[in-house]
Amino acid sequence: MQIRKWDYKDILKISQIETECFPQEPWSFQMLASSFDTDSFHGVLAEDGGEIIGYGGITVAADTADIANVAVTEPYRHSGVGTAIIGELIDVAAACGCKKVFLEVRVSNAIAMELYLKSGFKGAYARTRYYSDGEDCLVMVKEL
């Protein structure tokens, strides 16, 4: 497995994985492409044999960062890919001088919460009815 920065040519495959992993509210190709063109956004992906198997994105603003999305394809879940992507995003935030990294996760997504807890994140507060279907989210934070 290799972790690297996104290239623009990767966005089509990333948008396909996004739709597979987040069928309720996927980022569109256009959203991903516009993120790529934003200086404050940093995208990384994981490859295995040249195939994109996961990705993540983080937005840096002053001394904080927000992880926008992390996704891993079904066959590679529970194999350390998500942990590696999150680790790389945290490294990006630290290199940019961030003191805290935030993320939002659906309260029903116990698997993601477990991954974030293993990566050093802690629950900070909840946002009620955050998602379009009315589900709450848990905001998590990691101090760097």
Side-chain angles (χ1 to χ4, degrees), residues 3-33:
I3 304 285
R4 66 170 174 82
K5 288 178 64 172
W6 289 3
D7 288 324
Y8 192 82
K9 66 179 173 46
D10 300 318
I11 296 174
L12 180 58
K13 180 61 178 174
I14 289 169
S15 69
Q16 292 168 346
I17 296 170
E18 176 81 6
T19 301
E20 290 169 20
C21 293
F22 305 108
Q24 294 171 317
E25 292 187 60
W27 283 31
S28 67
F29 177 90
Q30 292 80 11
M31 291 169 72
L32 292 163

PDB file of all heavy atoms in Angstrom, residues 3-33:
ATOM      1  N   ILE A   3       0.609   5.643   0.235  1.00  0.00           N
ATOM      2  CA  ILE A   3      -0.191   6.837   0.494  1.00  0.00           C
ATOM      3  C   ILE A   3       0.457   7.977  -0.290  1.00  0.00           C
ATOM      4  O   ILE A   3       1.669   8.145  -0.262  1.00  0.00           O
ATOM      5  CB  ILE A   3      -0.203   7.200   1.997  1.00  0.00           C
ATOM      6  CG1 ILE A   3      -0.701   6.039   2.855  1.00  0.00           C
ATOM      7  CG2 ILE A   3      -1.013   8.469   2.234  1.00  0.00           C
ATOM      8  CD1 ILE A   3      -2.172   5.799   2.824  1.00  0.00           C
ATOM      9  N   ARG A   4      -0.383   8.743  -1.006  1.00  0.00           N
ATOM     10  CA  ARG A   4       0.136   9.881  -1.768  1.00  0.00           C
ATOM     11  C   ARG A   4      -0.926  10.967  -1.848  1.00  0.00           C
ATOM     12  O   ARG A   4      -2.085  10.749  -1.504  1.00  0.00           O
ATOM     13  CB  ARG A   4       0.588   9.456  -3.160  1.00  0.00           C
ATOM     14  CG  ARG A   4      -0.540   8.977  -4.066  1.00  0.00           C
ATOM     15  CD  ARG A   4      -0.060   8.803  -5.503  1.00  0.00           C
ATOM     16  NE  ARG A   4      -1.048   8.222  -6.370  1.00  0.00           N
ATOM     17  CZ  ARG A   4      -2.041   8.898  -6.962  1.00  0.00           C
ATOM     18  NH1 ARG A   4      -2.178  10.188  -6.751  1.00  0.00           N
ATOM     19  NH2 ARG A   4      -2.898   8.276  -7.761  1.00  0.00           N
ATOM     20  N   LYS A   5      -0.516  12.152  -2.317  1.00  0.00           N
ATOM     21  CA  LYS A   5      -1.459  13.249  -2.540  1.00  0.00           C
ATOM     22  C   LYS A   5      -2.371  12.911  -3.723  1.00  0.00           C
ATOM     23  O   LYS A   5      -1.972  12.198  -4.633  1.00  0.00           O
ATOM     24  CB  LYS A   5      -0.701  14.537  -2.855  1.00  0.00           C
ATOM     25  CG  LYS A   5       0.015  15.140  -1.667  1.00  0.00           C
ATOM     26  CD  LYS A   5       0.793  16.381  -2.061  1.00  0.00           C
ATOM     27  CE  LYS A   5      -0.145  17.456  -2.529  1.00  0.00           C
ATOM     28  NZ  LYS A   5       0.529  18.751  -2.749  1.00  0.00           N
ATOM     29  N   TRP A   6      -3.590  13.466  -3.698  1.00  0.00           N
ATOM     30  CA  TRP A   6      -4.479  13.354  -4.855  1.00  0.00           C
ATOM     31  C   TRP A   6      -3.863  14.060  -6.045  1.00  0.00           C
ATOM     32  O   TRP A   6      -3.231  15.101  -5.898  1.00  0.00           O
ATOM     33  CB  TRP A   6      -5.772  14.102  -4.640  1.00  0.00           C
ATOM     34  CG  TRP A   6      -6.767  13.597  -3.673  1.00  0.00           C
ATOM     35  CD1 TRP A   6      -6.667  12.520  -2.850  1.00  0.00           C
ATOM     36  CD2 TRP A   6      -8.038  14.194  -3.418  1.00  0.00           C
ATOM     37  NE1 TRP A   6      -7.797  12.418  -2.099  1.00  0.00           N
ATOM     38  CE2 TRP A   6      -8.661  13.428  -2.422  1.00  0.00           C
ATOM     39  CE3 TRP A   6      -8.694  15.292  -3.939  1.00  0.00           C
ATOM     40  CZ2 TRP A   6      -9.923  13.728  -1.937  1.00  0.00           C
ATOM     41  CZ3 TRP A   6      -9.953  15.591  -3.444  1.00  0.00           C
ATOM     42  CH2 TRP A   6     -10.556  14.816  -2.463  1.00  0.00           C
ATOM     43  N   ASP A   7      -4.128  13.533  -7.199  1.00  0.00           N
ATOM     44  CA  ASP A   7      -3.926  14.245  -8.459  1.00  0.00           C
ATOM     45  C   ASP A   7      -5.320  14.520  -9.015  1.00  0.00           C
ATOM     46  O   ASP A   7      -6.276  13.804  -8.701  1.00  0.00           O
ATOM     47  CB  ASP A   7      -3.153  13.390  -9.472  1.00  0.00           C
ATOM     48  CG  ASP A   7      -1.688  13.230  -9.099  1.00  0.00           C
ATOM     49  OD1 ASP A   7      -1.099  14.199  -8.561  1.00  0.00           O
ATOM     50  OD2 ASP A   7      -1.136  12.148  -9.338  1.00  0.00           O
ATOM     51  N   TYR A   8      -5.440  15.520  -9.857  1.00  0.00           N
ATOM     52  CA  TYR A   8      -6.750  15.843 -10.421  1.00  0.00           C
ATOM     53  C   TYR A   8      -7.349  14.633 -11.147  1.00  0.00           C
ATOM     54  O   TYR A   8      -8.540  14.385 -11.058  1.00  0.00           O
ATOM     55  CB  TYR A   8      -6.652  17.051 -11.360  1.00  0.00           C
ATOM     56  CG  TYR A   8      -8.011  17.588 -11.738  1.00  0.00           C
ATOM     57  CD1 TYR A   8      -8.688  18.453 -10.886  1.00  0.00           C
ATOM     58  CD2 TYR A   8      -8.628  17.199 -12.918  1.00  0.00           C
ATOM     59  CE1 TYR A   8      -9.947  18.932 -11.207  1.00  0.00           C
ATOM     60  CE2 TYR A   8      -9.894  17.676 -13.242  1.00  0.00           C
ATOM     61  CZ  TYR A   8     -10.544  18.536 -12.399  1.00  0.00           C
ATOM     62  OH  TYR A   8     -11.793  18.996 -12.708  1.00  0.00           O
ATOM     63  N   LYS A   9      -6.516  13.859 -11.805  1.00  0.00           N
ATOM     64  CA  LYS A   9      -6.998  12.689 -12.550  1.00  0.00           C
ATOM     65  C   LYS A   9      -7.616  11.624 -11.643  1.00  0.00           C
ATOM     66  O   LYS A   9      -8.343  10.755 -12.104  1.00  0.00           O
ATOM     67  CB  LYS A   9      -5.870  12.085 -13.390  1.00  0.00           C
ATOM     68  CG  LYS A   9      -4.738  11.479 -12.580  1.00  0.00           C
ATOM     69  CD  LYS A   9      -3.664  10.872 -13.468  1.00  0.00           C
ATOM     70  CE  LYS A   9      -2.452  10.399 -12.740  1.00  0.00           C
ATOM     71  NZ  LYS A   9      -2.632   9.614 -11.557  1.00  0.00           N
ATOM     72  N   ASP A  10      -7.357  11.703 -10.340  1.00  0.00           N
ATOM     73  CA  ASP A  10      -7.890  10.724  -9.389  1.00  0.00           C
ATOM     74  C   ASP A  10      -9.324  11.011  -8.976  1.00  0.00           C
ATOM     75  O   ASP A  10      -9.990  10.148  -8.400  1.00  0.00           O
ATOM     76  CB  ASP A  10      -7.031  10.698  -8.115  1.00  0.00           C
ATOM     77  CG  ASP A  10      -5.589  10.329  -8.371  1.00  0.00           C
ATOM     78  OD1 ASP A  10      -5.346   9.396  -9.168  1.00  0.00           O
ATOM     79  OD2 ASP A  10      -4.705  10.961  -7.768  1.00  0.00           O
ATOM     80  N   ILE A  11      -9.821  12.211  -9.242  1.00  0.00           N
ATOM     81  CA  ILE A  11     -11.097  12.637  -8.673  1.00  0.00           C
ATOM     82  C   ILE A  11     -12.273  11.796  -9.164  1.00  0.00           C
ATOM     83  O   ILE A  11     -13.194  11.510  -8.395  1.00  0.00           O
ATOM     84  CB  ILE A  11     -11.323  14.142  -8.896  1.00  0.00           C
ATOM     85  CG1 ILE A  11     -10.248  14.920  -8.126  1.00  0.00           C
ATOM     86  CG2 ILE A  11     -12.709  14.571  -8.440  1.00  0.00           C
ATOM     87  CD1 ILE A  11     -10.263  16.410  -8.361  1.00  0.00           C
ATOM     88  N   LEU A  12     -12.262  11.341 -10.391  1.00  0.00           N
ATOM     89  CA  LEU A  12     -13.371  10.506 -10.867  1.00  0.00           C
ATOM     90  C   LEU A  12     -13.481   9.228 -10.034  1.00  0.00           C
ATOM     91  O   LEU A  12     -14.568   8.872  -9.563  1.00  0.00           O
ATOM     92  CB  LEU A  12     -13.216  10.163 -12.350  1.00  0.00           C
ATOM     93  CG  LEU A  12     -14.330   9.292 -12.932  1.00  0.00           C
ATOM     94  CD1 LEU A  12     -15.699   9.949 -12.757  1.00  0.00           C
ATOM     95  CD2 LEU A  12     -14.061   8.986 -14.387  1.00  0.00           C
ATOM     96  N   LYS A  13     -12.381   8.540  -9.819  1.00  0.00           N
ATOM     97  CA  LYS A  13     -12.396   7.308  -9.020  1.00  0.00           C
ATOM     98  C   LYS A  13     -12.760   7.625  -7.571  1.00  0.00           C
ATOM     99  O   LYS A  13     -13.522   6.889  -6.940  1.00  0.00           O
ATOM    100  CB  LYS A  13     -11.045   6.599  -9.106  1.00  0.00           C
ATOM    101  CG  LYS A  13     -10.978   5.321  -8.301  1.00  0.00           C
ATOM    102  CD  LYS A  13     -11.982   4.273  -8.749  1.00  0.00           C
ATOM    103  CE  LYS A  13     -11.849   2.994  -7.945  1.00  0.00           C
ATOM    104  NZ  LYS A  13     -12.878   2.024  -8.246  1.00  0.00           N
ATOM    105  N   ILE A  14     -12.228   8.725  -7.031  1.00  0.00           N
ATOM    106  CA  ILE A  14     -12.557   9.116  -5.668  1.00  0.00           C
ATOM    107  C   ILE A  14     -14.055   9.383  -5.544  1.00  0.00           C
ATOM    108  O   ILE A  14     -14.688   8.953  -4.576  1.00  0.00           O
ATOM    109  CB  ILE A  14     -11.729  10.349  -5.244  1.00  0.00           C
ATOM    110  CG1 ILE A  14     -10.258   9.949  -5.061  1.00  0.00           C
ATOM    111  CG2 ILE A  14     -12.278  10.990  -3.969  1.00  0.00           C
ATOM    112  CD1 ILE A  14      -9.303  11.111  -4.911  1.00  0.00           C
ATOM    113  N   SER A  15     -14.645  10.034  -6.539  1.00  0.00           N
ATOM    114  CA  SER A  15     -16.087  10.317  -6.477  1.00  0.00           C
ATOM    115  C   SER A  15     -16.903   9.024  -6.544  1.00  0.00           C
ATOM    116  O   SER A  15     -17.970   8.931  -5.924  1.00  0.00           O
ATOM    117  CB  SER A  15     -16.510  11.303  -7.561  1.00  0.00           C
ATOM    118  OG  SER A  15     -16.435  10.743  -8.839  1.00  0.00           O
ATOM    119  N   GLN A  16     -16.416   8.025  -7.257  1.00  0.00           N
ATOM    120  CA  GLN A  16     -17.105   6.730  -7.300  1.00  0.00           C
ATOM    121  C   GLN A  16     -17.052   6.044  -5.930  1.00  0.00           C
ATOM    122  O   GLN A  16     -18.056   5.504  -5.460  1.00  0.00           O
ATOM    123  CB  GLN A  16     -16.485   5.832  -8.377  1.00  0.00           C
ATOM    124  CG  GLN A  16     -16.738   6.322  -9.783  1.00  0.00           C
ATOM    125  CD  GLN A  16     -15.887   5.603 -10.827  1.00  0.00           C
ATOM    126  OE1 GLN A  16     -14.930   4.911 -10.516  1.00  0.00           O
ATOM    127  NE2 GLN A  16     -16.240   5.805 -12.094  1.00  0.00           N
ATOM    128  N   ILE A  17     -15.891   6.085  -5.291  1.00  0.00           N
ATOM    129  CA  ILE A  17     -15.751   5.498  -3.950  1.00  0.00           C
ATOM    130  C   ILE A  17     -16.622   6.268  -2.960  1.00  0.00           C
ATOM    131  O   ILE A  17     -17.274   5.673  -2.096  1.00  0.00           O
ATOM    132  CB  ILE A  17     -14.269   5.478  -3.506  1.00  0.00           C
ATOM    133  CG1 ILE A  17     -13.457   4.563  -4.426  1.00  0.00           C
ATOM    134  CG2 ILE A  17     -14.146   5.034  -2.053  1.00  0.00           C
ATOM    135  CD1 ILE A  17     -11.942   4.667  -4.227  1.00  0.00           C
ATOM    136  N   GLU A  18     -16.654   7.582  -3.089  1.00  0.00           N
ATOM    137  CA  GLU A  18     -17.480   8.426  -2.225  1.00  0.00           C
ATOM    138  C   GLU A  18     -18.948   7.995  -2.298  1.00  0.00           C
ATOM    139  O   GLU A  18     -19.620   7.850  -1.276  1.00  0.00           O
ATOM    140  CB  GLU A  18     -17.327   9.897  -2.648  1.00  0.00           C
ATOM    141  CG  GLU A  18     -18.198  10.862  -1.911  1.00  0.00           C
ATOM    142  CD  GLU A  18     -17.680  11.279  -0.547  1.00  0.00           C
ATOM    143  OE1 GLU A  18     -16.552  10.915  -0.170  1.00  0.00           O
ATOM    144  OE2 GLU A  18     -18.432  11.964   0.159  1.00  0.00           O
ATOM    145  N   THR A  19     -19.445   7.760  -3.499  1.00  0.00           N
ATOM    146  CA  THR A  19     -20.835   7.339  -3.681  1.00  0.00           C
ATOM    147  C   THR A  19     -21.083   5.960  -3.085  1.00  0.00           C
ATOM    148  O   THR A  19     -22.136   5.712  -2.486  1.00  0.00           O
ATOM    149  CB  THR A  19     -21.200   7.360  -5.179  1.00  0.00           C
ATOM    150  OG1 THR A  19     -21.003   8.694  -5.666  1.00  0.00           O
ATOM    151  CG2 THR A  19     -22.639   6.953  -5.405  1.00  0.00           C
ATOM    152  N   GLU A  20     -20.108   5.052  -3.225  1.00  0.00           N
ATOM    153  CA  GLU A  20     -20.241   3.712  -2.638  1.00  0.00           C
ATOM    154  C   GLU A  20     -20.258   3.770  -1.114  1.00  0.00           C
ATOM    155  O   GLU A  20     -21.039   3.076  -0.471  1.00  0.00           O
ATOM    156  CB  GLU A  20     -19.074   2.823  -3.074  1.00  0.00           C
ATOM    157  CG  GLU A  20     -19.070   2.430  -4.524  1.00  0.00           C
ATOM    158  CD  GLU A  20     -17.747   1.779  -4.936  1.00  0.00           C
ATOM    159  OE1 GLU A  20     -17.002   1.290  -4.066  1.00  0.00           O
ATOM    160  OE2 GLU A  20     -17.461   1.770  -6.149  1.00  0.00           O
ATOM    161  N   CYS A  21     -19.385   4.584  -0.542  1.00  0.00           N
ATOM    162  CA  CYS A  21     -19.228   4.614   0.909  1.00  0.00           C
ATOM    163  C   CYS A  21     -20.265   5.487   1.616  1.00  0.00           C
ATOM    164  O   CYS A  21     -20.589   5.237   2.774  1.00  0.00           O
ATOM    165  CB  CYS A  21     -17.826   5.094   1.270  1.00  0.00           C
ATOM    166  SG  CYS A  21     -16.512   3.945   0.799  1.00  0.00           S
ATOM    167  N   PHE A  22     -20.742   6.523   0.935  1.00  0.00           N
ATOM    168  CA  PHE A  22     -21.681   7.472   1.544  1.00  0.00           C
ATOM    169  C   PHE A  22     -22.891   7.674   0.647  1.00  0.00           C
ATOM    170  O   PHE A  22     -23.136   8.771   0.134  1.00  0.00           O
ATOM    171  CB  PHE A  22     -20.981   8.815   1.800  1.00  0.00           C
ATOM    172  CG  PHE A  22     -19.736   8.692   2.620  1.00  0.00           C
ATOM    173  CD1 PHE A  22     -18.491   8.868   2.029  1.00  0.00           C
ATOM    174  CD2 PHE A  22     -19.794   8.394   3.973  1.00  0.00           C
ATOM    175  CE1 PHE A  22     -17.327   8.754   2.774  1.00  0.00           C
ATOM    176  CE2 PHE A  22     -18.629   8.273   4.724  1.00  0.00           C
ATOM    177  CZ  PHE A  22     -17.396   8.455   4.126  1.00  0.00           C
ATOM    178  N   PRO A  23     -23.700   6.631   0.426  1.00  0.00           N
ATOM    179  CA  PRO A  23     -24.819   6.756  -0.504  1.00  0.00           C
ATOM    180  C   PRO A  23     -25.863   7.788  -0.064  1.00  0.00           C
ATOM    181  O   PRO A  23     -26.575   8.332  -0.906  1.00  0.00           O
ATOM    182  CB  PRO A  23     -25.419   5.348  -0.537  1.00  0.00           C
ATOM    183  CG  PRO A  23     -24.954   4.686   0.712  1.00  0.00           C
ATOM    184  CD  PRO A  23     -23.636   5.311   1.051  1.00  0.00           C
ATOM    185  N   GLN A  24     -25.943   8.089   1.236  1.00  0.00           N
ATOM    186  CA  GLN A  24     -26.942   9.048   1.716  1.00  0.00           C
ATOM    187  C   GLN A  24     -26.590  10.482   1.315  1.00  0.00           C
ATOM    188  O   GLN A  24     -27.468  11.244   0.953  1.00  0.00           O
ATOM    189  CB  GLN A  24     -27.083   8.957   3.235  1.00  0.00           C
ATOM    190  CG  GLN A  24     -27.661   7.629   3.685  1.00  0.00           C
ATOM    191  CD  GLN A  24     -27.590   7.478   5.194  1.00  0.00           C
ATOM    192  OE1 GLN A  24     -26.590   7.800   5.809  1.00  0.00           O
ATOM    193  NE2 GLN A  24     -28.666   6.965   5.763  1.00  0.00           N
ATOM    194  N   GLU A  25     -25.320  10.853   1.442  1.00  0.00           N
ATOM    195  CA  GLU A  25     -24.906  12.233   1.171  1.00  0.00           C
ATOM    196  C   GLU A  25     -23.496  12.274   0.598  1.00  0.00           C
ATOM    197  O   GLU A  25     -22.588  12.825   1.220  1.00  0.00           O
ATOM    198  CB  GLU A  25     -24.950  13.069   2.449  1.00  0.00           C
ATOM    199  CG  GLU A  25     -26.338  13.299   2.985  1.00  0.00           C
ATOM    200  CD  GLU A  25     -26.348  14.271   4.137  1.00  0.00           C
ATOM    201  OE1 GLU A  25     -25.922  15.423   3.935  1.00  0.00           O
ATOM    202  OE2 GLU A  25     -26.770  13.870   5.232  1.00  0.00           O
ATOM    203  N   PRO A  26     -23.271  11.727  -0.583  1.00  0.00           N
ATOM    204  CA  PRO A  26     -21.907  11.757  -1.139  1.00  0.00           C
ATOM    205  C   PRO A  26     -21.540  13.145  -1.641  1.00  0.00           C
ATOM    206  O   PRO A  26     -22.400  13.904  -2.085  1.00  0.00           O
ATOM    207  CB  PRO A  26     -21.986  10.776  -2.305  1.00  0.00           C
ATOM    208  CG  PRO A  26     -23.413  10.859  -2.751  1.00  0.00           C
ATOM    209  CD  PRO A  26     -24.212  11.066  -1.483  1.00  0.00           C
ATOM    210  N   TRP A  27     -20.263  13.453  -1.553  1.00  0.00           N
ATOM    211  CA  TRP A  27     -19.761  14.635  -2.239  1.00  0.00           C
ATOM    212  C   TRP A  27     -19.813  14.330  -3.723  1.00  0.00           C
ATOM    213  O   TRP A  27     -19.451  13.232  -4.153  1.00  0.00           O
ATOM    214  CB  TRP A  27     -18.320  14.904  -1.838  1.00  0.00           C
ATOM    215  CG  TRP A  27     -18.123  15.532  -0.486  1.00  0.00           C
ATOM    216  CD1 TRP A  27     -18.900  15.383   0.634  1.00  0.00           C
ATOM    217  CD2 TRP A  27     -17.046  16.390  -0.114  1.00  0.00           C
ATOM    218  NE1 TRP A  27     -18.373  16.086   1.673  1.00  0.00           N
ATOM    219  CE2 TRP A  27     -17.229  16.724   1.242  1.00  0.00           C
ATOM    220  CE3 TRP A  27     -15.946  16.896  -0.792  1.00  0.00           C
ATOM    221  CZ2 TRP A  27     -16.354  17.545   1.924  1.00  0.00           C
ATOM    222  CZ3 TRP A  27     -15.074  17.713  -0.104  1.00  0.00           C
ATOM    223  CH2 TRP A  27     -15.285  18.041   1.235  1.00  0.00           C
ATOM    224  N   SER A  28     -20.215  15.289  -4.513  1.00  0.00           N
ATOM    225  CA  SER A  28     -20.275  15.110  -5.962  1.00  0.00           C
ATOM    226  C   SER A  28     -18.877  15.282  -6.559  1.00  0.00           C
ATOM    227  O   SER A  28     -17.960  15.792  -5.901  1.00  0.00           O
ATOM    228  CB  SER A  28     -21.218  16.140  -6.579  1.00  0.00           C
ATOM    229  OG  SER A  28     -20.661  17.445  -6.444  1.00  0.00           O
ATOM    230  N   PHE A  29     -18.746  14.882  -7.811  1.00  0.00           N
ATOM    231  CA  PHE A  29     -17.500  15.100  -8.538  1.00  0.00           C
ATOM    232  C   PHE A  29     -17.126  16.583  -8.486  1.00  0.00           C
ATOM    233  O   PHE A  29     -15.973  16.943  -8.244  1.00  0.00           O
ATOM    234  CB  PHE A  29     -17.633  14.627  -9.992  1.00  0.00           C
ATOM    235  CG  PHE A  29     -16.409  14.887 -10.810  1.00  0.00           C
ATOM    236  CD1 PHE A  29     -15.399  13.938 -10.890  1.00  0.00           C
ATOM    237  CD2 PHE A  29     -16.250  16.087 -11.498  1.00  0.00           C
ATOM    238  CE1 PHE A  29     -14.247  14.176 -11.629  1.00  0.00           C
ATOM    239  CE2 PHE A  29     -15.107  16.340 -12.245  1.00  0.00           C
ATOM    240  CZ  PHE A  29     -14.105  15.377 -12.313  1.00  0.00           C
ATOM    241  N   GLN A  30     -18.112  17.453  -8.686  1.00  0.00           N
ATOM    242  CA  GLN A  30     -17.867  18.895  -8.694  1.00  0.00           C
ATOM    243  C   GLN A  30     -17.364  19.389  -7.344  1.00  0.00           C
ATOM    244  O   GLN A  30     -16.466  20.236  -7.280  1.00  0.00           O
ATOM    245  CB  GLN A  30     -19.135  19.669  -9.089  1.00  0.00           C
ATOM    246  CG  GLN A  30     -19.562  19.471 -10.525  1.00  0.00           C
ATOM    247  CD  GLN A  30     -20.322  18.151 -10.754  1.00  0.00           C
ATOM    248  OE1 GLN A  30     -20.720  17.460  -9.834  1.00  0.00           O
ATOM    249  NE2 GLN A  30     -20.516  17.814 -12.015  1.00  0.00           N
ATOM    250  N   MET A  31     -17.941  18.873  -6.263  1.00  0.00           N
ATOM    251  CA  MET A  31     -17.495  19.274  -4.926  1.00  0.00           C
ATOM    252  C   MET A  31     -16.050  18.843  -4.691  1.00  0.00           C
ATOM    253  O   MET A  31     -15.242  19.612  -4.164  1.00  0.00           O
ATOM    254  CB  MET A  31     -18.412  18.676  -3.858  1.00  0.00           C
ATOM    255  CG  MET A  31     -19.802  19.259  -3.847  1.00  0.00           C
ATOM    256  SD  MET A  31     -20.937  18.324  -2.793  1.00  0.00           S
ATOM    257  CE  MET A  31     -20.341  18.764  -1.165  1.00  0.00           C
ATOM    258  N   LEU A  32     -15.749  17.619  -5.077  1.00  0.00           N
ATOM    259  CA  LEU A  32     -14.381  17.121  -4.915  1.00  0.00           C
ATOM    260  C   LEU A  32     -13.407  17.917  -5.770  1.00  0.00           C
ATOM    261  O   LEU A  32     -12.319  18.278  -5.317  1.00  0.00           O
ATOM    262  CB  LEU A  32     -14.314  15.634  -5.256  1.00  0.00           C
ATOM    263  CG  LEU A  32     -15.043  14.719  -4.271  1.00  0.00           C
ATOM    264  CD1 LEU A  32     -15.286  13.352  -4.905  1.00  0.00           C
ATOM    265  CD2 LEU A  32     -14.264  14.588  -2.975  1.00  0.00           C
ATOM    266  N   ALA A  33     -13.797  18.221  -7.000  1.00  0.00           N
ATOM    267  CA  ALA A  33     -12.933  18.980  -7.903  1.00  0.00           C
ATOM    268  C   ALA A  33     -12.705  20.391  -7.372  1.00  0.00           C
ATOM    269  O   ALA A  33     -11.578  20.897  -7.436  1.00  0.00           O
ATOM    270  CB  ALA A  33     -13.529  19.017  -9.303  1.00  0.00           C
TER     271      ALA A  33
END
